[in-house]
Every structure is written in C-alpha cells, then in structure tokens.
Amino acid sequence: MGIGLIALIGWGGISGFFGYIFALIMIGFGYWLWRTSDTTLKRVCSGLVMLAGAALIIFWLPKFISLLLSGALIYIGWILVRIGQSQGYRYWK
C-alpha cells in the first residue's frame, strides 16, 4: 500500500486525474457551445476547445495509466493487509 501511495504522488497520478477532469470539462463545454452556436465563429471556437480538450487527454495518458497502476497497488496492498489481519486473528484464539 505504501508503494502505491508513493506512486500516486510521485508518478503524478493526482495531477493526471485533475488534468483529465479539466479536459473533460473543456470537451463538454465545447460540445455545448457547438450545439448552441448560431455563427460560424462560435462553431470554430467550440471546435478548437474540443480539440484542445482531446489533446490534453492524449497528453495526460501516461499520467492516467500511472493513476490506474498506483490505484491497483493500493487495492492489492489493502487486500493483503485484510487477509493478514484475518489470519492473524485466527491464530490468536
């Protein structure tokens, strides 16, 4: 679990998570602007916002993978701790 927590902070998993949230907000806002636009300039600007959001998602892909890996390490560590606690409790009876 400790390695997973260090990886979460060290590999940039937290910053990647917030980067993905920001990119998804950009894509959602661009799509909303595209649907409500009445001029060509608004359509071009909304297309650029959606393109920038997609570029951020591609740019933050390694950070997202590190977020998944560190989450998996934390989960596996938690399972191992729980198994160790339950077996240790049986031996103390």
Side-chain angles (χ1 to χ4, degrees):
M1 272 182 20
I3 293 172
L5 289 173
I6 291 170
L8 184 66
I9 296 168
W11 290 344
I14 294 173
S15 64
F17 177 71
F18 289 122
Y20 260 91
I21 289 174
F22 182 69
L24 289 174
I25 288 171
M26 284 178 67
I27 290 174
F29 179 72
Y31 181 72
W32 174 78
L33 190 61
W34 179 276
R35 300 281 292 167
T36 61
S37 65
D38 54 352
T39 64
T40 306
L41 181 62
K42 284 184 182 178
R43 285 190 179 255
V44 168
C45 289
S46 64
L48 290 175
V49 168
M50 288 190 293
L51 184 65
L56 276 177
I57 286 178
I58 292 170
F59 177 73
W60 288 103
L61 189 61
K63 301 278 185 180
F64 185 70
I65 292 171
S66 69
L67 177 71
L68 292 177
L69 287 174
S70 59
L73 285 173
I74 292 170
Y75 180 71
I76 290 170
W78 178 255
I79 288 174
L80 290 175
V81 167
R82 299 274 304 196
I83 290 172
Q85 287 176 349
S86 65
Q87 289 178 353
Y89 181 72
R90 279 190 239 155
Y91 292 123
W92 282 99
K93 283 186 174 181

